[in-house]
Amino acid sequence: MPALSPTMNQGNIAKWRKQEGDKIEVGDVICEIETDKATLEFESLEEGYLAKILAPEGSKDVQVGQPIFVTVEDLEDIKSIPADTSFGGEQKEEQTTESVPQADAANVSQQSSAVSRISPAAKRLIKEHGLDMSSLRASGPRGTLLKGDVLAALKSGAISSSKEKKAPAAPSSQPNRDSQAQPATTSQKADTYEDIPNSQIRKVIAKRLLESKQTTPHLYLSKDVVLDPLLAFRIELKEQHGIKVSVNDIIIKAVAIALRNVPEANAYWNSEKEESQKCDSVDISIAVATEKGLMTPIIRNADQKTISAISTEVKQLAEKARAGKLAPNEFQGGSFSISNLGMYPVDHFCAIINPPQSGILAVGRGNKVVEPVVDSDGNEKAAAVTKMSLTLSADHRVFDGQVGGKFFTELASNFSDIRRLLL
Amino acid sequence: MAARSISDSTAALTIETSVPFTSHLVDPPSRDVTTTPAELMTFFRDMSLMRRMEIAADSLYKAKLIRGFCHLYDGQEAVAVGMEAAITRNDSIITAYRDHCTYLARGGDLISAFSELMGREAGCSRGKGGSMHFYKKDANFYGGHGIVGAQVPLGCGLAFAQKYKKEDTATFALYGDGAANQGQLFEALNISALWKLPAILVCENNHYGMGTAEWRAAKSPAYYKRGDYVPGLKVDGMDVLAVKQACKFAKDHAVANGPIVLEMDTYRYHGHSMSDPGSTYRTRDEISGVRQERDPIERVRKLILAHDLATPAELKDIEKEIRKRVDDAIAKAKESSMPDTSELFTNVYKKGFGVEVSCQICSN
């Protein structure tokens, strides 16, 4: 396979213009190769005869450097080529392991001598049922394996299929929520893969996420807040008062106070009454990653608790969550959620609301940026500040622009002047 | 075995060029070219070697052993070989970036050519120039230039030096039909004509700039006439004997009377460079048509067979031997290493006047 462009690493054989036994003149097009950019014609610079085609039409992801056909100088030499010169099944397997594991279309090996290519629908069926390729018969044009063939084979029940249900991979289109959820490790070696059965918790989470995303009209508001006052406050607490709290604890308090001051934001949508119902207390759910899945223990009355009390409670609840010992009342309910991915290099993300709540705040990582800052003399100077992205995903039925604006005003001023947390 | 071996006689042979010369402001030379069997065999060997080298470079590029730019000369071999046959190593040649075969013609060897293409130390420019910057000063080959048309004023400068030193030699400054419209050519030509410098401007007209056909690029595609007040000659660039005749004529003219423009009507089989398939602006039929009717190597092969200087089998053997030579050279070139990191700082300043890296610092 030639590198027809400097960035090409692999190509697909789109069409063979010459067949085995044909004479090739200098300048003749032998085949059409599909590269990463376009389909190009591969010209021959030698003359000879095409003895054997090693990569049949439709071969995909042939690495640059692999032999795709054999030419000979004399017509008679064609007969002396061994008939089982093949593309190399081992190389095919290497290619499939290199292919992106998350790709839903499995790189099913095309080594089966009965089929030369497989239709996408058939590929999916084979993957789903874990079928044995060699026992399938192709009936499509040019030896293509069609969906009908696979279905017929399944019906006749003559195929051995692996009975395990394939675990759905963690929703790869949602980089936000299940941050800690391990991607289902489906390593694909041609026709062998490991099924990791999904725990009940994950199944429920998956169902709820989909339900939430589909049924709740999400509204997104975001702001990059200057984190320096908060960080300074935290350091002061540590060094002068010996109190250790995390940035997240302070954020929880800031959000709780803002919710108390904007009670319309601390509500949920009552679908029977079709109106927004205010919650009695400010109960904040904290997203905690555990092995079994994402848990959300609740800090009740967060607006009334001190920051150190919040800090202690968060630690306790996280411990219980990881041990799987959360009581139902400790994770059911809540009026608002906070999800913090700041410990990862995630700058900004949008979380999915936890029904029946009406809002979730996604907290990103604090990054140092240079900004114009008005210093004490009233001059604008360039200063390095730490900024952190906050993104609120809200139920638009509860949060309209006004409510969202009010809430954000409160929240932002809580960050800019930490003393507001005393109010 | 054959009763006679391949002819290497030096008996004179007179052969007619394919077409007569067309001239501008000067009397054209005769269509009859004197050559010898030995010379024809040399032509065949040299052009076949060049052709094989370019094809091998194509494969190496597609195997990602040659990176960057690669502009191939196959189809145009007659220009390099014919020119070399008409001049001496004391005459200078300067050309643009389609220079691999010119380097070979000037005495370059295969190993240093392939090494340079692959960026290895054994290359003619120490692996630091690549395809576009071949050089051979001792053979008066001044490169290998990337900027379009930049080499022509340089070539006129070389001619100036030759006249200044009273050497009775000439400089051949080659450029393409795309570069023929560059302004600096006319400026350089003006001063060369005023000072009667022995500068020969050779337009290698392969009819396409990168992909622009000559009739779309130039209002007057008669490049041999573009010198206006400077005489010019149009030559069939696919006929090595015509090229030889024209270059001999041009050198004699330039040394005596000043600049002259040559237009070589030639053709390249590859695209402009390896990134260009070469088939989007011209048809495959056109390319294969030229290959069948005008290929320079085939023309010489026919001449050799017609004059019974060698048998077809012998010619095939020569081609096989050339193939092996090229393969061996590539293998040898692959063994050469990449340049040392200290080479980043060499050849930038005259020694002692710039940054240098001591050997202890640069560790590999």
Side-chain angles (χ1 to χ4, degrees):
Chain A
M1 170 68 67
L4 294 174
S5 81
T7 53
M8 182 179 163
N9 291 319
Q10 65 214 24
N12 307 334
I13 308 278
K15 189 157 177 247
W16 282 101
R17 296 274 201 93
K18 295 271 179 190
Q19 297 307 317
E20 288 182 10
D22 284 353
K23 175 124 190 6
I24 302 175
E25 305 281 353
V26 180
D28 279 352
V29 178
I30 302 181
C31 60
E32 287 174 23
I33 292 178
E34 206 180 301
T35 71
D36 53 335
K37 298 194 176 126
T39 303
L40 299 170
E41 295 169 324
F42 179 34
E43 263 180 44
S44 171
L45 290 167
E46 314 272 350
E47 62 171 18
Y49 293 86
L50 182 58
K52 192 154 175 75
I53 293 178
L54 297 175
E57 220 168 80
S59 301
K60 293 226 179 293
D61 295 331
V62 180
Q63 298 297 311
V64 165
Q66 280 193 344
I68 51 176
F69 64 91
V70 181
T71 51
V72 290
E73 271 187 33
D74 300 312
L75 200 45
E76 303 81 54
D77 289 343
I78 293 183
K79 303 185 191 93
S80 53
I81 296 206
D84 61 351
T85 310
S86 70
F87 194 14
E90 313 80 52
Q91 287 152 338
K92 254 299 188 218
E93 285 196 300
E94 276 166 21
Q95 284 160 42
T96 47
T97 43
E98 276 166 26
S99 68
V100 179
Q102 275 205 0
D104 282 332
N107 240 343
V108 182
S109 163
Q110 295 178 357
Q111 196 42 32
S112 163
S113 51
V115 304
S116 61
R117 68 194 199 138
I118 306 167
S119 79
K123 245 189 227 178
R124 191 173 57 80
L125 279 175
I126 291 169
K127 178 179 166 256
E128 262 179 34
H129 297 270
L131 297 177
D132 183 17
M133 274 284 306
S134 52
S135 47
L136 293 169
R137 265 184 38 246
S139 72
R142 293 178 294 213
T144 311
L145 183 68
L146 300 176
K147 181 176 172 186
D149 298 328
V150 181
L151 288 176
L154 279 174
K155 228 173 175 187
S156 64
I159 323 297
S160 59
S161 57
S162 66
K163 296 287 191 226
E164 300 166 64
K165 254 193 74 173
K166 276 212 34 114
S172 48
S173 55
Q174 288 152 2
N176 39 18
R177 287 293 288 193
D178 293 78
S179 50
Q180 322 294 358
Q182 297 142 12
T185 42
T186 43
S187 60
Q188 291 164 358
K189 296 182 170 76
D191 282 358
T192 63
Y193 34 71
E194 222 186 325
D195 284 337
I196 297 177
N198 217 5
S199 65
Q200 194 58 27
I201 290 179
R202 280 197 203 273
K203 286 188 182 154
V204 171
I205 291 173
K207 196 152 144 256
R208 296 274 302 234
L209 279 174
L210 180 63
E211 193 190 302
S212 168
K213 197 76 204 231
Q214 281 184 337
T215 58
T216 315
H218 277 62
L219 166 73
Y220 302 101
L221 301 169
S222 66
K223 177 171 174 55
D224 292 348
V225 290
V226 176
L227 205 58
D228 297 298
L230 190 151
L231 292 172
F233 176 57
R234 177 170 169 263
I235 290 177
E236 201 186 326
L237 281 179
K238 196 165 88 161
E239 289 175 356
Q240 292 182 13
H241 305 275
I243 299 173
K244 274 172 111 182
V245 294
S246 74
V247 173
N248 204 34
D249 301 331
I250 305 177
I251 292 177
I252 292 171
K253 180 80 180 173
V255 172
I257 302 259
L259 284 171
R260 188 197 61 203
N261 293 340
V262 185
E264 305 88 41
N266 192 38
Y268 68 95
W269 182 255
N270 189 326
S271 32
E272 290 134 25
K273 290 198 197 153
E274 285 195 352
E275 62 184 32
S276 164
Q277 289 232 259
K278 295 205 182 89
C279 301
D280 302 334
S281 53
V282 177
D283 304 328
I284 298 203
S285 311
I286 311 297
V288 172
T290 68
E291 269 178 44
K292 296 195 184 59
L294 190 71
M295 308 286 321
T296 50
I298 303 173
I299 313 276
R300 303 231 176 246
N301 294 306
D303 56 325
Q304 292 164 16
K305 292 192 169 136
T306 62
I307 298 183
S308 5
I310 291 176
S311 178
T312 324
E313 209 177 308
V314 165
K315 287 198 191 77
Q316 279 175 353
L317 286 170
E319 196 63 59
K320 276 193 185 174
R322 287 196 193 102
K325 292 194 163 58
L326 278 178
N329 71 313
E330 281 171 332
F331 64 86
Q332 279 174 357
S335 59
F336 192 88
S337 296
I338 297 181
S339 177
N340 192 333
L341 285 186
M343 72 288 279
Y344 295 102
V346 173
D347 294 337
H348 161 264
F349 70 106
C350 302
I352 297 185
I353 296 172
N354 231 341
Q357 296 175 1
S358 63
I360 177 167
L361 189 71
V363 180
R365 186 195 184 97
N367 287 320
K368 262 211 168 335
V369 294
V370 174
E371 271 205 347
V373 164
V374 181
D375 67 3
S376 41
D377 300 341
N379 299 325
E380 233 189 38
K381 281 199 323 201
V385 297
T386 311
K387 283 211 135 173
M388 182 177 72
S389 161
L390 301 175
T391 307
L392 171 71
S393 306
D395 184 342
H396 208 332
R397 299 169 295 190
V398 173
F399 278 74
D400 59 5
Q402 202 184 34
V403 174
K406 263 168 106 179
F407 174 72
F408 249 73
T409 313
E410 286 288 326
L411 189 59
S413 40
N414 285 351
F415 275 94
S416 56
D417 193 349
I418 273 297
R419 294 169 301 182
R420 288 177 55 97
L421 298 186
L422 294 170
L423 299 171
Chain B
M1 284 306 289
R4 57 132 195 87
S5 61
I6 299 174
S7 180
D8 54 0
S9 114
T10 43
L13 260 180
T14 308
I15 299 177
E16 213 187 30
T17 63
S18 57
V19 291
F21 298 101
T22 342
S23 66
H24 169 70
L25 292 186
V26 74
D27 291 325
S30 156
R31 260 182 94 174
D32 296 312
V33 187
T34 34
T35 179
T36 70
E39 188 176 55
L40 281 176
M41 290 308 301
T42 314
F43 285 165
F44 181 81
R45 278 202 181 85
D46 290 346
M47 290 202 285
S48 298
L49 186 66
M50 289 174 181
R51 178 68 60 91
R52 195 87 291 271
M53 177 181 75
E54 296 297 69
I55 290 178
D58 175 284
S59 305
L60 285 176
Y61 192 90
K62 287 183 174 148
K64 285 189 166 180
L65 283 161
I66 300 178
R67 312 303 300 274
F69 291 119
C70 192
H71 306 83
L72 298 176
Y73 201 71
D74 53 326
Q76 299 180 217
E77 299 91 353
V79 177
V81 170
M83 182 180 295
E84 196 61 36
I87 61 179
T88 70
R89 289 282 156 81
N90 293 324
D91 297 298
S92 304
I93 298 185
I94 187 169
T95 182
Y97 39 76
R98 210 175 290 277
D99 55 354
H100 310 162
C101 299
T102 319
Y103 171 71
L104 273 196
R106 284 263 96 180
D109 68 296
L110 283 174
I111 296 178
S112 55
F114 282 115
S115 302
E116 189 58 41
L117 285 174
M118 294 196 276
R120 311 292 171 104
E121 253 186 334
C124 52
S125 304
R126 304 251 282 274
K128 298 199 279 184
S131 161
M132 293 177 44
H133 302 105
F134 279 41
Y135 229 81
K136 198 164 171 40
K137 180 115 190 289
D138 53 298
N140 282 313
F141 173 52
Y142 291 91
H145 294 268
I147 309 280
V148 173
Q151 70 278 11
V152 176
L154 293 180
C156 295
L158 289 170
F160 181 36
Q162 287 168 326
K163 177 149 184 150
Y164 194 96
K165 294 195 258 185
K166 298 188 169 52
E167 286 176 355
D168 278 342
T169 49
T171 300
F172 287 76
L174 285 77
Y175 58 96
D177 47 296
N181 303 309
Q182 287 277 299
Q184 67 269 18
L185 269 71
F186 301 95
E187 293 174 33
L189 200 54
N190 180 46
I191 208 80
S192 307
L194 280 171
W195 291 351
K196 286 181 136 186
L197 303 180
I200 300 154
L201 270 63
V202 183
C203 176
E204 288 181 287
N205 183 8
N206 52 29
H207 307 285
Y208 297 94
M210 288 207 298
T212 312
E214 59 178 335
W215 55 272
R216 288 183 65 227
K219 184 69 182 170
S220 164
Y223 296 103
Y224 69 106
K225 285 193 191 162
R226 296 280 287 275
D228 188 16
Y229 40 82
V230 169
L233 197 64
K234 182 163 173 167
V235 187
D236 177 5
M238 305 297 257
D239 180 355
V240 62
L241 294 167
V243 172
K244 177 187 164 196
Q245 184 87 318
C247 290
K248 189 156 189 326
F249 173 80
K251 176 179 171 180
D252 294 337
H253 183 280
V255 169
N257 308 322
I260 181 170
V261 176
L262 292 182
E263 179 187 338
M264 303 286 178
D265 183 354
T266 180
Y267 201 83
R268 53 167 166 80
Y269 297 139
H270 267 87
H272 165 73
S273 72
M274 285 305 297
S275 319
D276 172 21
S279 49
T280 48
Y281 45 86
R282 51 187 190 174
T283 61
R284 282 194 193 281
D285 289 335
E286 180 187 306
I287 304 173
S288 48
V290 173
R291 232 187 245 280
Q292 270 153 13
E293 317 272 301
R294 297 177 65 201
D295 185 86
I297 301 179
E298 291 311 304
R299 173 188 299 280
V300 172
R301 191 199 299 267
K302 283 197 190 97
L303 280 174
I304 290 174
L305 295 176
H307 290 268
D308 202 25
L309 306 177
T311 65
E314 284 163 340
L315 292 180
K316 261 228 149 15
D317 285 339
I318 293 179
E319 285 177 321
K320 279 208 179 78
E321 179 218 319
I322 284 173
R323 221 194 166 115
K324 187 166 185 316
R325 267 182 71 193
V326 168
D327 290 339
D328 290 344
I330 293 178
K332 204 94 220 319
K334 280 183 186 166
E335 286 169 17
S336 173
S337 57
M338 294 284 187
D340 191 65
T341 24
S342 62
E343 292 282 340
L344 275 172
F345 295 89
T346 59
N347 306 114
V348 180
Y349 289 100
K350 188 171 155 74
K351 208 162 171 55
F353 284 85
V355 178
E356 280 171 43
V357 178
S358 71
C359 288
Q360 293 131 324
I361 298 174
C362 60
S363 53
N364 287 57

